[in-house]
Amino acid sequence: MNGHGTVRHLLISGGIGCLFWLLGNVLYGTLTQELWQPLGIGIYFALFGAVIGIGYRILSVIRGDHSWLRRKQPDQLREDLRMYFLWLLLLTVVTVGLEFLYEVGVSGTSQPTSYIFLIDDSGSMEGNDPENKRVSAIHEIMAGQEEGFPYAVYKFTDESTCLKALSPYSAGDRFEFISDGGTNIIGSLRTVVQEILQNRSAAGENVRILLLSDGDDNYFALGKRKVIRDCVDNGISVSTISFGNLTGNRLLRSLAEGTGGVYIHSADAVDLQADMTSAVTLSSARNLISERYMIRLNWLYTILRILFLTVMGATWSMMKLFAYCGRDTDGILPLSLLLCVLGAVLTEVLFALQVNGAFVRLLLCILWSLVPGQFESKTTPSTPAPPPPPAAPPAPDFTSVSGIGSGSMPDAGNSGKMTGLEGKTPQTPFGSQLSDSGSNPFQQSHSLRKD
């Protein structure tokens, strides 16, 4: 596996994730709104797993990769496919169960019976909303409600003022904002809650207050805990919008979280209308791959999302392994686990930063679909193994020759011939035999010449 092939393979497998995202983005609304949401999320990931399995197989055919089939026996292929479907089924069951646990305690799913708009009209709003976009936003929101739906409008500076008492919407309703004074958020909210309770029959059982402000409370938020408790005890949810340059307002966030509303930051007047519409219409419903607007114990749900997605990712990694080749030949399992954990963490972080949900799901699909490795080409010749080195010749064995004195050694070149002399009297070069005494005929000849 080379570096170029690995990058190319990662890009192609990531493209498969993008293809599913296009399909999943179309089906997401139906799966989460028309079905029981845990089941819908389970089906979402089951479809994702099916696309991954089919995509890997098509990819191998397009690239002419037959190594996957070539190195497998039919029984092994059937076993891998069986394991793939078992892990896919397990992924669906695990997803439904974890999604159900993540949604436990969701409140505020009942439709609001009335809207109460509590709008900041302090001096700073003159610069943040000079065209009074907040007024047109109220009209847009109420024009989309059913006929006879009650609402009321309050503005607040150092104290609250009722601009329109609780009654049905009319296109001729007018509200005047002059943008002057300080910011008394908690005191104004307390006053509005008291008036709602005095006119509870008209407001209904599920009142939703939309509180918009571009600044902190100038009165130190005294009485915050009591006003939150009053809202909770009386079924009043408060959705809040921090407007303009004010980001991460802890007071507005705590009011939303404590009462079952949602918190949204609106960067400028251009987005104000859409953000106000979201704030009054969004409920506290949440799932593992969507924005989490309303929660108590936010840190707990942060941990739960990362933990649950990681568990799902471990199951997903095993399914992807069998969808690919049935064994971890290219480091699929460890890298897949790492990418699944990364996807879980990034999903939580990006949703906390209020990044668009569709983009977050796209990133998750890409990370979870990536697989390393390079497909082997069926035309790639295999390199033959080098031949073994020749064996060394055996050493000569002189011990098999008998009849030679211990003091004399035969010539190594004749050792092979002398093995045939075993048990015979050796001949001299002249054909005479050696005597039993071992005397040398050359020595005798030498003595005759001397005589």
Side-chain angles (χ1 to χ4, degrees):
M1 179 175 66
N2 57 43
H4 176 69
T6 300
V7 172
R8 181 172 53 188
H9 201 177
L10 288 171
L11 290 175
I12 295 174
S13 58
I16 297 174
C18 292
L19 289 176
F20 168 75
W21 174 81
L22 293 174
L23 172 64
N25 206 40
V26 174
L27 298 176
Y28 177 77
T30 301
L31 293 175
T32 56
Q33 295 175 14
E34 302 298 329
L35 301 177
W36 180 49
Q37 189 164 247
L39 178 60
I41 297 299
I43 294 175
Y44 180 91
F45 280 96
L47 291 174
F48 189 9
V51 170
I52 286 295
I54 296 172
Y56 287 169
R57 201 59 50 84
I58 293 176
L59 179 60
S60 67
V61 173
I62 292 175
R63 297 196 58 193
D65 168 47
H66 297 277
S67 60
W68 190 90
L69 296 174
R70 188 171 62 246
R71 66 171 175 249
K72 294 284 188 177
Q73 298 298 323
D75 290 342
Q76 291 178 300
L77 287 173
R78 284 192 293 268
E79 179 64 17
D80 285 346
L81 288 174
R82 187 178 71 85
M83 293 300 297
Y84 161 71
F85 284 113
L86 284 176
W87 280 105
L88 181 60
L89 178 60
L90 180 61
L91 171 68
T92 306
V93 174
V94 168
T95 301
V96 171
L98 295 180
E99 176 62 34
F100 174 77
L101 292 176
Y102 187 73
E103 293 183 25
V104 168
V106 169
S107 61
T109 55
S110 300
Q111 290 296 321
T113 54
S114 59
Y115 290 151
I116 310 296
F117 296 90
L118 182 57
I119 309 299
D120 190 346
D121 194 31
S122 61
S124 57
M125 289 295 290
E126 182 177 5
N128 285 327
D129 185 22
E131 299 179 3
N132 277 336
K133 294 287 187 181
R134 49 199 150 158
V135 175
S136 58
I138 293 174
H139 281 285
E140 286 290 332
I141 293 170
M142 295 311 304
Q145 305 304 312
E146 295 180 358
E147 185 177 355
F149 187 86
Y151 81 112
V153 179
Y154 292 79
K155 69 177 182 179
F156 71 93
T157 54
D158 297 291
E159 59 184 14
S160 63
T161 302
C162 181
L163 300 180
K164 180 189 179 300
L166 194 65
S167 61
Y169 171 72
S170 171
D173 293 340
R174 294 291 181 265
F175 324 112
E176 183 181 5
F177 293 92
I178 59 175
S179 302
D180 185 32
T183 306
N184 185 2
I185 296 175
I186 295 300
S188 301
L189 179 59
R190 182 170 54 244
T191 300
V192 170
V193 170
Q194 291 172 352
E195 294 188 11
I196 290 172
L197 297 179
Q198 292 172 2
N199 195 18
R200 192 57 189 262
S201 59
E205 294 298 322
N206 297 301
V207 181
R208 173 160 295 181
I209 298 175
L210 173 62
L211 194 161
L212 181 148
S213 179
D214 69 343
D216 289 315
D217 194 315
N218 299 146
Y219 292 80
F220 307 105
L222 297 176
K224 182 186 74 171
R225 290 186 178 181
K226 184 178 185 308
V227 75
I228 290 177
R229 186 166 59 249
D230 290 342
C231 289
V232 173
D233 292 343
N234 293 281
I236 301 172
S237 63
V238 182
S239 293
T240 58
I241 296 178
S242 60
F243 181 58
N245 294 325
L246 179 66
T247 58
N249 188 296
R250 295 179 61 184
L251 173 59
L252 297 182
R253 186 183 293 273
S254 64
L255 287 174
E257 293 178 352
T259 62
V262 300
Y263 168 78
I264 296 176
H265 172 69
S266 185
D268 51 45
V270 175
D271 301 325
L272 182 58
Q273 179 175 312
D275 291 334
M276 288 180 67
T277 302
S278 297
V280 296
T281 57
L282 287 172
S283 69
S284 60
R286 58 182 177 269
N287 63 58
L288 289 168
I289 52 174
S290 74
E291 298 87 346
R292 186 178 63 245
Y293 290 107
M294 164 263 162
I295 42 158
R296 298 182 181 90
L297 300 175
N298 186 55
W299 62 270
L300 175 61
Y301 283 90
T302 297
I303 294 173
L304 287 179
R305 184 179 345 233
I306 295 175
L307 176 62
F308 288 175
L309 286 178
T310 300
V311 172
M312 291 166 55
T315 310
W316 175 269
S317 298
M318 291 300 300
M319 180 213 69
K320 192 164 67 171
L321 176 64
F322 284 101
Y324 178 64
C325 64
R327 59 180 180 175
D328 198 12
T329 55
D330 291 306
I332 297 172
L333 193 57
L335 180 60
S336 181
L337 287 171
L338 177 62
L339 291 173
C340 287
V341 173
L342 178 62
V345 173
L346 286 179
T347 297
E348 175 59 33
V349 170
L350 294 177
F351 276 136
L353 295 174
Q354 298 187 10
V355 175
N356 181 268
F359 175 79
V360 178
R361 288 187 288 273
L362 170 61
L363 182 61
L364 184 67
C365 288
I366 293 175
L367 289 175
W368 280 30
S369 64
L370 292 176
V371 64
Q374 179 185 20
F375 287 121
E376 302 173 10
S377 173
K378 64 178 180 180
T379 59
T380 302
S382 57
T383 303
D397 183 7
F398 299 109
T399 61
S400 62
V401 181
S402 60
I404 301 178
S406 60
S408 62
M409 290 292 292
D411 184 21
N414 296 324
S415 61
K417 296 179 180 179
M418 294 184 69
T419 58
L421 300 177
E422 186 174 357
K424 299 181 180 180
T425 303
Q427 298 284 334
T428 67
F430 301 98
S432 61
Q433 295 182 348
L434 291 173
S435 64
D436 292 340
S437 61
S439 61
N440 192 328
F442 290 99
Q443 293 177 349
Q444 296 177 0
S445 173
H446 181 67
S447 61
L448 290 174
R449 282 195 299 271
K450 288 178 67 177
D451 294 338

